[in-house]
Amino acid sequence: MSFTSACCNTLPVKGNYTPTGSTVTTETIKYYIVGDKNSDRGIVLLYDIFGYHSNFFEVADLLSKTGLRVIIPDLLGEKYLTMADIGRPEVFVEFKNNQGTWEANKDKIVQSVQLLKSEGAKNIGVLGYCWSAKLAILALGDASIGFKSAAMLHPSLLVTEDFANAKGPILLLPTKDEGDFSEGFNLVKKGPFGEDSYEERFDEMFHGFCGARGDFSDATTAKYVNRAVNLISNFFNKTLA
């Protein structure tokens, strides 16, 4: 279980998007939130290893326009990776074993769910990118958290057992840089959540295209970002109905 080579060697881009939501800081958590406060459908969006990048705010804002209330907890704080870490596999190993672990991030994920529920959200899903796709599927496997479904974009670190433990439908969107998840995904398809689970490979795209590594101003990238966002929106609006 390791990061893909592309994850360790692909630089993030400089984003210039202006978010439409609000950033809130409390004693225990900082988060970005956007969308209709009266929505009964909420999403916890977990960013990638580069932390609060404007591309995640843009995706959250797009999803919010489809009736979803979206929260992005600041899981990493100042412990996110930077351009200086690219090409240094030892840094990625350290990240995976420290600030990137499930144990280090579970509390903020749970707090995010509680915040959405306090506003009235009844059904909540989780969206993970790269490393946080691992957190997303682990969270879906923990019934006490209460996620109804999970979507994963260009995922890293997944193993077959993660799929076997999933307690809800899954949307899986890998790129050309990720491996074959058929063994694990087929376990989900054969189970009680198979009918609502879906995989679509973005083999024309690279790892991180819909996150901090994607140039959303590029027409080709934007085309596939819009495709991914539409799939995610449709998936959550169906599985959280």
Short mmCIF file of all heavy atoms in Angstrom, two decimals, residues 59-116:
data_model
loop_
_atom_site.label_atom_id
_atom_site.label_comp_id
_atom_site.label_asym_id
_atom_site.label_seq_id
_atom_site.Cartn_x
_atom_site.Cartn_y
_atom_site.Cartn_z
N VAL A 59 -14.70 23.05 -6.72
CA VAL A 59 -15.50 21.83 -6.83
C VAL A 59 -16.63 21.85 -5.80
O VAL A 59 -17.78 21.51 -6.12
CB VAL A 59 -14.63 20.58 -6.64
CG1 VAL A 59 -15.49 19.32 -6.50
CG2 VAL A 59 -13.66 20.41 -7.81
N ALA A 60 -16.34 22.26 -4.57
CA ALA A 60 -17.37 22.35 -3.53
C ALA A 60 -18.47 23.31 -3.96
O ALA A 60 -19.67 23.02 -3.78
CB ALA A 60 -16.75 22.80 -2.22
N ASP A 61 -18.10 24.45 -4.52
CA ASP A 61 -19.08 25.43 -4.94
C ASP A 61 -19.96 24.88 -6.07
O ASP A 61 -21.18 25.11 -6.10
CB ASP A 61 -18.39 26.72 -5.39
CG ASP A 61 -17.76 27.49 -4.24
OD1 ASP A 61 -17.90 27.05 -3.08
OD2 ASP A 61 -17.09 28.51 -4.50
N LEU A 62 -19.34 24.15 -7.00
CA LEU A 62 -20.11 23.55 -8.09
C LEU A 62 -21.09 22.52 -7.55
O LEU A 62 -22.26 22.48 -7.97
CB LEU A 62 -19.16 22.90 -9.09
CG LEU A 62 -18.33 23.84 -9.96
CD1 LEU A 62 -17.26 23.06 -10.72
CD2 LEU A 62 -19.22 24.60 -10.93
N LEU A 63 -20.65 21.69 -6.62
CA LEU A 63 -21.54 20.68 -6.04
C LEU A 63 -22.68 21.33 -5.27
O LEU A 63 -23.81 20.84 -5.27
CB LEU A 63 -20.75 19.74 -5.14
CG LEU A 63 -19.77 18.79 -5.84
CD1 LEU A 63 -18.92 18.04 -4.82
CD2 LEU A 63 -20.52 17.80 -6.72
N SER A 64 -22.38 22.44 -4.61
CA SER A 64 -23.40 23.11 -3.81
C SER A 64 -24.54 23.63 -4.68
O SER A 64 -25.68 23.76 -4.21
CB SER A 64 -22.78 24.26 -3.02
OG SER A 64 -22.51 25.39 -3.84
N LYS A 65 -24.25 23.91 -5.94
CA LYS A 65 -25.28 24.42 -6.84
C LYS A 65 -26.29 23.35 -7.24
O LYS A 65 -27.30 23.66 -7.87
CB LYS A 65 -24.63 25.02 -8.09
CG LYS A 65 -23.80 26.27 -7.81
CD LYS A 65 -23.12 26.78 -9.07
CE LYS A 65 -22.27 28.02 -8.77
NZ LYS A 65 -21.56 28.51 -9.97
N THR A 66 -26.01 22.10 -6.89
CA THR A 66 -26.92 21.00 -7.21
C THR A 66 -27.74 20.58 -5.99
O THR A 66 -28.33 19.50 -5.97
CB THR A 66 -26.15 19.79 -7.76
OG1 THR A 66 -25.37 19.19 -6.72
CG2 THR A 66 -25.24 20.20 -8.90
N GLY A 67 -27.75 21.43 -4.96
CA GLY A 67 -28.58 21.16 -3.79
C GLY A 67 -27.86 20.52 -2.63
O GLY A 67 -28.49 20.19 -1.62
N LEU A 68 -26.55 20.36 -2.72
CA LEU A 68 -25.78 19.73 -1.66
C LEU A 68 -25.14 20.79 -0.76
O LEU A 68 -24.65 21.81 -1.24
CB LEU A 68 -24.69 18.84 -2.26
CG LEU A 68 -25.17 17.70 -3.15
CD1 LEU A 68 -24.00 17.12 -3.94
CD2 LEU A 68 -25.83 16.60 -2.32
N ARG A 69 -25.14 20.56 0.52
CA ARG A 69 -24.40 21.38 1.48
C ARG A 69 -23.03 20.73 1.64
O ARG A 69 -22.93 19.54 1.95
CB ARG A 69 -25.13 21.40 2.82
CG ARG A 69 -24.50 22.25 3.91
CD ARG A 69 -24.65 23.72 3.68
NE ARG A 69 -24.41 24.50 4.91
CZ ARG A 69 -24.13 25.79 4.93
NH1 ARG A 69 -24.05 26.47 3.79
NH2 ARG A 69 -23.95 26.43 6.07
N VAL A 70 -21.96 21.47 1.38
CA VAL A 70 -20.62 20.89 1.32
C VAL A 70 -19.71 21.53 2.36
O VAL A 70 -19.63 22.76 2.46
CB VAL A 70 -19.99 21.07 -0.08
CG1 VAL A 70 -18.67 20.31 -0.16
CG2 VAL A 70 -20.96 20.59 -1.17
N ILE A 71 -19.02 20.70 3.12
CA ILE A 71 -18.05 21.17 4.10
C ILE A 71 -16.68 20.57 3.80
O ILE A 71 -16.58 19.40 3.41
CB ILE A 71 -18.50 20.79 5.54
CG1 ILE A 71 -17.57 21.41 6.59
CG2 ILE A 71 -18.60 19.29 5.72
CD1 ILE A 71 -18.08 21.26 8.02
N ILE A 72 -15.64 21.39 3.91
CA ILE A 72 -14.26 20.92 3.72
C ILE A 72 -13.50 21.17 5.03
O ILE A 72 -13.08 22.29 5.30
CB ILE A 72 -13.54 21.65 2.57
CG1 ILE A 72 -14.38 21.65 1.29
CG2 ILE A 72 -12.17 21.00 2.33
CD1 ILE A 72 -13.72 22.42 0.14
N PRO A 73 -13.31 20.15 5.84
CA PRO A 73 -12.54 20.34 7.07
C PRO A 73 -11.05 20.49 6.75
O PRO A 73 -10.54 19.85 5.83
CB PRO A 73 -12.80 19.05 7.85
CG PRO A 73 -13.08 18.02 6.80
CD PRO A 73 -13.79 18.77 5.69
N ASP A 74 -10.39 21.36 7.49
CA ASP A 74 -8.94 21.53 7.31
C ASP A 74 -8.23 20.45 8.11
O ASP A 74 -7.81 20.66 9.24
CB ASP A 74 -8.52 22.92 7.78
CG ASP A 74 -7.06 23.23 7.44
OD1 ASP A 74 -6.45 22.45 6.68
OD2 ASP A 74 -6.54 24.24 7.94
N LEU A 75 -8.10 19.29 7.50
CA LEU A 75 -7.54 18.13 8.21
C LEU A 75 -6.08 18.32 8.59
O LEU A 75 -5.66 17.95 9.69
CB LEU A 75 -7.67 16.88 7.33
CG LEU A 75 -9.07 16.42 6.96
CD1 LEU A 75 -8.99 15.18 6.09
CD2 LEU A 75 -9.91 16.16 8.20
N LEU A 76 -5.31 18.92 7.70
CA LEU A 76 -3.86 18.93 7.87
C LEU A 76 -3.32 20.18 8.55
O LEU A 76 -2.18 20.16 9.06
CB LEU A 76 -3.17 18.76 6.51
CG LEU A 76 -3.46 17.46 5.77
CD1 LEU A 76 -2.83 17.49 4.38
CD2 LEU A 76 -2.94 16.26 6.56
N GLY A 77 -4.09 21.26 8.57
CA GLY A 77 -3.56 22.50 9.13
C GLY A 77 -2.31 22.93 8.38
O GLY A 77 -2.31 23.08 7.16
N GLU A 78 -1.21 23.09 9.10
CA GLU A 78 0.06 23.49 8.47
C GLU A 78 0.93 22.29 8.09
O GLU A 78 2.10 22.45 7.72
CB GLU A 78 0.83 24.40 9.44
CG GLU A 78 0.10 25.69 9.79
CD GLU A 78 -0.21 26.53 8.56
OE1 GLU A 78 0.67 26.64 7.69
OE2 GLU A 78 -1.33 27.06 8.48
N LYS A 79 0.37 21.09 8.16
CA LYS A 79 1.16 19.88 7.90
C LYS A 79 0.92 19.31 6.50
O LYS A 79 1.15 18.13 6.26
CB LYS A 79 0.85 18.82 8.96
CG LYS A 79 1.24 19.24 10.37
CD LYS A 79 0.94 18.14 11.38
CE LYS A 79 1.35 18.54 12.79
NZ LYS A 79 1.05 17.49 13.79
N TYR A 80 0.44 20.13 5.59
CA TYR A 80 0.24 19.69 4.21
C TYR A 80 1.59 19.65 3.49
O TYR A 80 2.58 20.25 3.94
CB TYR A 80 -0.73 20.62 3.48
CG TYR A 80 -0.33 22.07 3.51
CD1 TYR A 80 0.55 22.60 2.56
CD2 TYR A 80 -0.84 22.93 4.48
CE1 TYR A 80 0.91 23.92 2.59
CE2 TYR A 80 -0.48 24.27 4.51
CZ TYR A 80 0.39 24.76 3.57
OH TYR A 80 0.76 26.07 3.60
N LEU A 81 1.63 18.98 2.35
CA LEU A 81 2.86 18.90 1.56
C LEU A 81 2.91 20.09 0.59
O LEU A 81 1.90 20.73 0.31
CB LEU A 81 2.93 17.59 0.80
CG LEU A 81 2.95 16.32 1.67
CD1 LEU A 81 3.27 15.10 0.82
CD2 LEU A 81 3.92 16.43 2.82
N THR A 82 4.10 20.38 0.10
CA THR A 82 4.32 21.53 -0.77
C THR A 82 5.09 21.10 -2.02
O THR A 82 5.52 19.94 -2.14
CB THR A 82 5.12 22.63 -0.05
OG1 THR A 82 6.46 22.15 0.17
CG2 THR A 82 4.49 22.99 1.29
N MET A 83 5.31 22.05 -2.91
CA MET A 83 6.09 21.77 -4.12
C MET A 83 7.48 21.24 -3.79
O MET A 83 8.03 20.41 -4.52
CB MET A 83 6.20 23.04 -4.97
CG MET A 83 4.92 23.46 -5.64
SD MET A 83 5.21 24.81 -6.81
CE MET A 83 3.56 25.07 -7.44
N ALA A 84 8.03 21.68 -2.69
CA ALA A 84 9.39 21.26 -2.30
C ALA A 84 9.45 19.78 -1.94
O ALA A 84 10.53 19.18 -1.93
CB ALA A 84 9.87 22.10 -1.11
N ASP A 85 8.28 19.17 -1.67
CA ASP A 85 8.25 17.77 -1.27
C ASP A 85 8.13 16.82 -2.47
O ASP A 85 8.31 15.61 -2.32
CB ASP A 85 7.08 17.51 -0.31
CG ASP A 85 7.23 18.29 0.98
OD1 ASP A 85 8.33 18.27 1.55
OD2 ASP A 85 6.24 18.92 1.41
N ILE A 86 7.80 17.36 -3.64
CA ILE A 86 7.62 16.53 -4.82
C ILE A 86 8.96 15.88 -5.21
O ILE A 86 10.01 16.53 -5.20
CB ILE A 86 7.07 17.37 -5.98
CG1 ILE A 86 5.68 17.89 -5.62
CG2 ILE A 86 7.02 16.55 -7.27
CD1 ILE A 86 4.67 16.82 -5.33
N GLY A 87 8.89 14.59 -5.53
CA GLY A 87 10.10 13.85 -5.89
C GLY A 87 10.88 13.33 -4.71
O GLY A 87 11.99 12.81 -4.88
N ARG A 88 10.32 13.45 -3.51
CA ARG A 88 10.98 12.96 -2.29
C ARG A 88 10.10 11.88 -1.67
O ARG A 88 9.27 12.15 -0.79
CB ARG A 88 11.20 14.11 -1.32
CG ARG A 88 12.06 15.25 -1.85
CD ARG A 88 12.10 16.41 -0.87
NE ARG A 88 12.69 16.00 0.41
CZ ARG A 88 12.56 16.71 1.53
NH1 ARG A 88 11.85 17.84 1.54
NH2 ARG A 88 13.12 16.28 2.64
N PRO A 89 10.22 10.65 -2.10
CA PRO A 89 9.34 9.57 -1.63
C PRO A 89 9.37 9.37 -0.13
O PRO A 89 8.37 8.97 0.46
CB PRO A 89 9.85 8.34 -2.38
CG PRO A 89 11.21 8.70 -2.87
CD PRO A 89 11.20 10.16 -3.10
N GLU A 90 10.49 9.71 0.51
CA GLU A 90 10.57 9.53 1.96
C GLU A 90 9.60 10.46 2.68
O GLU A 90 9.08 10.12 3.76
CB GLU A 90 12.01 9.76 2.45
CG GLU A 90 12.51 11.20 2.41
CD GLU A 90 13.00 11.66 1.05
OE1 GLU A 90 12.89 10.87 0.08
OE2 GLU A 90 13.52 12.79 0.96
N VAL A 91 9.34 11.62 2.10
CA VAL A 91 8.39 12.56 2.70
C VAL A 91 6.97 12.00 2.63
O VAL A 91 6.18 12.13 3.57
CB VAL A 91 8.45 13.93 1.98
CG1 VAL A 91 7.35 14.86 2.49
CG2 VAL A 91 9.82 14.57 2.18
N PHE A 92 6.67 11.34 1.53
CA PHE A 92 5.34 10.75 1.37
C PHE A 92 5.15 9.58 2.33
O PHE A 92 4.04 9.39 2.86
CB PHE A 92 5.14 10.31 -0.08
CG PHE A 92 4.87 11.45 -1.02
CD1 PHE A 92 5.91 12.27 -1.45
CD2 PHE A 92 3.60 11.72 -1.46
CE1 PHE A 92 5.67 13.34 -2.30
CE2 PHE A 92 3.34 12.79 -2.31
CZ PHE A 92 4.39 13.60 -2.72
N VAL A 93 6.18 8.82 2.56
CA VAL A 93 6.10 7.72 3.54
C VAL A 93 5.84 8.29 4.93
O VAL A 93 5.00 7.79 5.69
CB VAL A 93 7.38 6.88 3.53
CG1 VAL A 93 7.37 5.87 4.68
CG2 VAL A 93 7.53 6.16 2.19
N GLU A 94 6.55 9.35 5.27
CA GLU A 94 6.36 9.99 6.58
C GLU A 94 4.95 10.53 6.70
O GLU A 94 4.31 10.41 7.76
CB GLU A 94 7.38 11.11 6.77
CG GLU A 94 7.29 11.80 8.12
CD GLU A 94 8.32 12.90 8.31
OE1 GLU A 94 9.17 13.07 7.42
OE2 GLU A 94 8.26 13.58 9.34
N PHE A 95 4.45 11.14 5.65
CA PHE A 95 3.08 11.67 5.65
C PHE A 95 2.08 10.54 5.90
O PHE A 95 1.18 10.67 6.74
CB PHE A 95 2.80 12.34 4.30
CG PHE A 95 1.40 12.87 4.16
CD1 PHE A 95 1.12 14.19 4.44
CD2 PHE A 95 0.36 12.05 3.73
CE1 PHE A 95 -0.18 14.69 4.32
CE2 PHE A 95 -0.93 12.53 3.60
CZ PHE A 95 -1.20 13.86 3.89
N LYS A 96 2.23 9.46 5.18
CA LYS A 96 1.29 8.34 5.30
C LYS A 96 1.28 7.77 6.71
O LYS A 96 0.22 7.38 7.22
CB LYS A 96 1.68 7.23 4.31
CG LYS A 96 0.73 6.04 4.31
CD LYS A 96 1.22 4.94 3.39
CE LYS A 96 2.41 4.20 3.99
NZ LYS A 96 2.76 2.97 3.22
N ASN A 97 2.43 7.77 7.36
CA ASN A 97 2.54 7.15 8.68
C ASN A 97 2.26 8.11 9.83
O ASN A 97 2.22 7.67 10.99
CB ASN A 97 3.94 6.56 8.85
CG ASN A 97 4.20 5.40 7.91
OD1 ASN A 97 3.27 4.72 7.49
ND2 ASN A 97 5.46 5.19 7.56
N ASN A 98 2.08 9.39 9.53
CA ASN A 98 1.88 10.38 10.59
C ASN A 98 0.59 11.18 10.37
O ASN A 98 -0.48 10.70 10.70
CB ASN A 98 3.11 11.29 10.71
CG ASN A 98 4.32 10.54 11.24
OD1 ASN A 98 4.43 10.33 12.43
ND2 ASN A 98 5.24 10.14 10.36
N GLN A 99 0.69 12.37 9.80
CA GLN A 99 -0.49 13.22 9.68
C GLN A 99 -1.54 12.68 8.72
O GLN A 99 -2.69 13.12 8.72
CB GLN A 99 -0.10 14.65 9.28
CG GLN A 99 0.46 14.82 7.87
CD GLN A 99 1.98 14.82 7.85
OE1 GLN A 99 2.60 14.00 8.51
NE2 GLN A 99 2.56 15.75 7.11
N GLY A 100 -1.15 11.70 7.90
CA GLY A 100 -2.11 11.16 6.94
C GLY A 100 -2.90 9.96 7.43
O GLY A 100 -3.75 9.44 6.70
N THR A 101 -2.66 9.49 8.64
CA THR A 101 -3.33 8.28 9.12
C THR A 101 -4.81 8.52 9.43
O THR A 101 -5.25 9.65 9.67
CB THR A 101 -2.66 7.74 10.40
OG1 THR A 101 -2.84 8.71 11.46
CG2 THR A 101 -1.19 7.47 10.17
N TRP A 102 -5.55 7.44 9.43
CA TRP A 102 -6.96 7.49 9.81
C TRP A 102 -7.12 8.02 11.23
O TRP A 102 -7.97 8.87 11.51
CB TRP A 102 -7.57 6.11 9.69
CG TRP A 102 -8.93 5.94 10.30
CD1 TRP A 102 -9.28 5.17 11.36
CD2 TRP A 102 -10.14 6.57 9.86
NE1 TRP A 102 -10.62 5.27 11.62
CE2 TRP A 102 -11.17 6.12 10.71
CE3 TRP A 102 -10.43 7.48 8.84
CZ2 TRP A 102 -12.49 6.55 10.57
CZ3 TRP A 102 -11.75 7.90 8.69
CH2 TRP A 102 -12.76 7.44 9.55
N GLU A 103 -6.27 7.57 12.12
CA GLU A 103 -6.35 7.97 13.52
C GLU A 103 -6.14 9.48 13.69
O GLU A 103 -6.76 10.11 14.54
CB GLU A 103 -5.33 7.21 14.35
CG GLU A 103 -5.60 5.72 14.49
CD GLU A 103 -5.26 4.93 13.23
OE1 GLU A 103 -4.54 5.46 12.35
OE2 GLU A 103 -5.73 3.78 13.12
N ALA A 104 -5.26 10.06 12.86
CA ALA A 104 -4.97 11.49 12.97
C ALA A 104 -6.08 12.36 12.42
O ALA A 104 -6.14 13.56 12.72
CB ALA A 104 -3.66 11.80 12.23
N ASN A 105 -6.97 11.79 11.63
CA ASN A 105 -7.98 12.59 10.93
C ASN A 105 -9.43 12.26 11.29
O ASN A 105 -10.34 13.03 10.95
CB ASN A 105 -7.79 12.43 9.42
CG ASN A 105 -6.49 13.03 8.94
OD1 ASN A 105 -6.38 14.24 8.79
ND2 ASN A 105 -5.48 12.19 8.71
N LYS A 106 -9.65 11.17 11.96
CA LYS A 106 -11.02 10.72 12.23
C LYS A 106 -11.83 11.77 12.99
O LYS A 106 -12.99 12.05 12.64
CB LYS A 106 -11.01 9.41 13.01
CG LYS A 106 -12.40 8.90 13.35
CD LYS A 106 -12.37 7.59 14.13
CE LYS A 106 -13.78 7.15 14.49
NZ LYS A 106 -13.77 5.86 15.25
N ASP A 107 -11.27 12.38 14.02
CA ASP A 107 -12.03 13.31 14.86
C ASP A 107 -12.58 14.48 14.06
O ASP A 107 -13.74 14.89 14.24
CB ASP A 107 -11.17 13.83 16.01
CG ASP A 107 -10.96 12.79 17.10
OD1 ASP A 107 -11.64 11.74 17.05
OD2 ASP A 107 -10.13 13.02 17.99
N LYS A 108 -11.77 15.04 13.15
CA LYS A 108 -12.24 16.18 12.36
C LYS A 108 -13.30 15.75 11.34
O LYS A 108 -14.20 16.54 11.02
CB LYS A 108 -11.06 16.87 11.67
CG LYS A 108 -10.18 17.64 12.64
CD LYS A 108 -9.05 18.35 11.93
CE LYS A 108 -8.18 19.13 12.91
NZ LYS A 108 -7.04 19.81 12.25
N ILE A 109 -13.20 14.54 10.86
CA ILE A 109 -14.22 14.03 9.95
C ILE A 109 -15.54 13.86 10.71
O ILE A 109 -16.60 14.27 10.23
CB ILE A 109 -13.77 12.70 9.32
CG1 ILE A 109 -12.56 12.94 8.40
CG2 ILE A 109 -14.91 12.05 8.55
CD1 ILE A 109 -11.93 11.67 7.87
N VAL A 110 -15.47 13.31 11.91
CA VAL A 110 -16.66 13.14 12.73
C VAL A 110 -17.26 14.50 13.08
O VAL A 110 -18.48 14.70 13.02
CB VAL A 110 -16.33 12.36 14.01
CG1 VAL A 110 -17.50 12.37 14.98
CG2 VAL A 110 -15.95 10.91 13.67
N GLN A 111 -16.43 15.47 13.43
CA GLN A 111 -16.92 16.82 13.73
C GLN A 111 -17.64 17.42 12.54
O GLN A 111 -18.65 18.13 12.70
CB GLN A 111 -15.76 17.72 14.14
CG GLN A 111 -15.22 17.48 15.54
CD GLN A 111 -14.16 18.51 15.90
OE1 GLN A 111 -14.43 19.70 15.98
NE2 GLN A 111 -12.94 18.04 16.09
N SER A 112 -17.12 17.17 11.34
CA SER A 112 -17.75 17.71 10.13
C SER A 112 -19.14 17.13 9.94
O SER A 112 -20.08 17.85 9.57
CB SER A 112 -16.87 17.40 8.92
OG SER A 112 -15.60 17.98 9.05
N VAL A 113 -19.28 15.84 10.18
CA VAL A 113 -20.59 15.20 10.09
C VAL A 113 -21.54 15.81 11.11
O VAL A 113 -22.70 16.12 10.80
CB VAL A 113 -20.47 13.67 10.30
CG1 VAL A 113 -21.85 13.03 10.40
CG2 VAL A 113 -19.67 13.04 9.18
N GLN A 114 -21.07 16.00 12.31
CA GLN A 114 -21.90 16.57 13.37
C GLN A 114 -22.33 18.00 13.03
O GLN A 114 -23.47 18.39 13.32
CB GLN A 114 -21.15 16.53 14.69
CG GLN A 114 -20.91 15.11 15.21
CD GLN A 114 -20.00 15.06 16.42
OE1 GLN A 114 -19.25 16.00 16.70
NE2 GLN A 114 -20.03 13.95 17.14
N LEU A 115 -21.44 18.77 12.42
CA LEU A 115 -21.80 20.14 12.02
C LEU A 115 -22.91 20.14 10.99
O LEU A 115 -23.86 20.92 11.09
CB LEU A 115 -20.56 20.84 11.46
CG LEU A 115 -19.56 21.36 12.49
CD1 LEU A 115 -18.22 21.67 11.82
CD2 LEU A 115 -20.10 22.62 13.17
N LEU A 116 -22.80 19.25 10.00
CA LEU A 116 -23.85 19.18 8.98
C LEU A 116 -25.17 18.71 9.60
O LEU A 116 -26.23 19.25 9.27
CB LEU A 116 -23.42 18.22 7.87
CG LEU A 116 -22.29 18.71 6.95
CD1 LEU A 116 -21.83 17.59 6.02
CD2 LEU A 116 -22.72 19.93 6.15
#
